[in-house]
Amino acid sequence: MTRSYRSTLGLALALGSLASPAQAQSGSGEVIVTAQRRDADDYSADRPAVGLHRMADFAVMPVSITGDTRDATQRADEIYAMLASAIAAADKAGVSLAHGETVVEPVTTANYRSLTLKRTNRPDSQALTVLVKVPLSDKVDARSAQARITAFIKMVKPVGRALMEEDGDLTLSVVAPDQYRPAIARAVAADAHATSEAFGADYAVEVEGLSRPVEWARDGLTGVLLYIPYKLTVVPKR
């Protein structure tokens, strides 16, 4: 009798939408969390039932700064100036700025001009995207995090023709998921022990795959499931 648990990591995924799956790339930095869904429920047929359920570290909102000043140099200067203003206002607003699709890196006064401007579907228009993060806690849920981000966007004044606006839905991130490997392994061991006892003294269990990287998926509005894909097999004792 075999239970196989396999899953994949996707890129940034909105709280209410589906993302394409991809393999986990880093468990030592801060990572955007995947959600996989079936219909309206958070569900994946391949996601393991055994893992570590915990609150995500941050609620994350993608935000774009768009400019359409005709002169290209002035347009870029306006976009970057508005980003600099956002960085300066972030601490007071209780947020932080970052960039990245899967692994998240901070946006600071030292690196903000290295972010790439991209063309939009309008002539003489460019934009860059950053992530606005709010730390989650027992007192800060998804609703209050969203409200804080919305208030922050409103407080950053436009520069020239540059504008800042939300560019997606709220996502989650977790810092250094590999740090939870021991706790995940203990949860798997407890499940294996319970399974062995359920089948009686004539059976034992074999667990494979615990050396694989930690993977992650969203588990509710602010929760995440951290897990290691593994295979548990119930075998008769010889």
Side-chain angles (χ1 to χ4, degrees), residues 2-3 5 11 14 50 57 64 67 71 98 100 107 124-125 130 132 135 165 168 174 189 198 219 227 234 236:
T2 302
R3 278 192 300 179
Y5 294 141
L11 299 182
V50 177
D57 292 307
S64 65
D71 181 78
V107 174
D124 298 323
S125 178
V130 295
V132 181
E165 56 188 357
V174 174
D219 180 28
Y227 62 93
V234 178

Side-chain angles (χ1 to χ4, degrees), residues 60-118:
V60 183
M61 170 72 73
V63 170
S64 65
I65 302 176
T66 304
D68 60 0
T69 297
R70 185 173 296 274
D71 181 78
T73 300
Q74 183 180 350
R75 179 170 65 239
D77 286 344
E78 291 174 353
I79 293 172
Y80 285 122
M82 190 168 188
L83 178 55
S85 295
I87 295 170
D91 282 346
K92 183 177 180 180
V95 305
S96 58
L97 300 182
H99 69 99
E101 292 183 332
T102 301
V103 180
V104 178
E105 301 289 345
V107 174
T108 68
T109 54
N111 68 9
Y112 75 100
R113 287 197 74 100
S114 67
L115 271 63
T116 303
L117 296 178
K118 297 181 179 180

Side-chain angles (χ1 to χ4, degrees), residues 9-236:
L9 169 70
L11 299 182
L13 211 169
L15 288 181
S17 61
L18 180 66
S20 300
Q23 189 63 31
Q25 296 184 17
S26 173
S28 59
E30 181 181 349
V31 297
I32 296 293
V33 176
T34 282
Q36 292 179 311
R37 290 161 36 109
R38 183 180 65 180
D39 299 324
D41 298 320
D42 296 328
Y43 177 82
S44 169
D46 298 324
R47 185 185 303 170
V50 177
L52 178 64
H53 297 265
R54 68 181 302 274
M55 180 181 290
D57 292 307
F58 291 93
V60 183
M61 170 72 73
V63 170
S64 65
I65 302 176
T66 304
D68 60 0
T69 297
R70 185 173 296 274
D71 181 78
T73 300
Q74 183 180 350
R75 179 170 65 239
D77 286 344
E78 291 174 353
I79 293 172
Y80 285 122
M82 190 168 188
L83 178 55
S85 295
I87 295 170
D91 282 346
K92 183 177 180 180
V95 305
S96 58
L97 300 182
H99 69 99
E101 292 183 332
T102 301
V103 180
V104 178
E105 301 289 345
V107 174
T108 68
T109 54
N111 68 9
Y112 75 100
R113 287 197 74 100
S114 67
L115 271 63
T116 303
L117 296 178
K118 297 181 179 180
R119 290 285 183 184
T120 72
N121 56 6
R122 297 181 297 174
D124 298 323
S125 178
Q126 288 175 290
L128 59 78
T129 300
V130 295
L131 304 172
V132 181
K133 299 171 21 182
V134 174
L136 293 168
S137 67
D138 292 340
K139 297 181 180 180
V140 180
D141 59 11
R143 185 186 298 273
S144 56
Q146 174 72 70
R148 187 181 299 184
I149 293 169
T150 299
F152 167 70
I153 292 172
K154 291 180 179 178
M155 72 181 289
V156 181
K157 298 185 182 302
V159 177
R161 294 185 60 83
L163 296 172
M164 177 185 288
E165 56 188 357
E166 296 179 4
D167 193 24
D169 296 313
L170 206 65
T171 68
L172 304 174
S173 72
V174 174
V175 176
D178 273 346
Q179 69 178 299
Y180 301 106
R181 174 179 290 277
I184 297 168
R186 287 193 295 271
V188 173
D191 178 67
H193 178 72
T195 300
S196 176
E197 287 193 336
F199 278 84
D202 293 332
Y203 291 87
V205 296
E206 296 177 352
V207 178
E208 300 176 359
L210 289 181
S211 62
R212 296 178 62 177
V214 174
E215 299 188 20
W216 49 89
R218 204 191 85 228
D219 180 28
L221 287 177
T222 58
V224 295
L225 171 67
L226 300 167
Y227 62 93
I228 302 171
Y230 69 93
K231 182 171 72 174
L232 184 150
T233 305
V234 178
V235 296

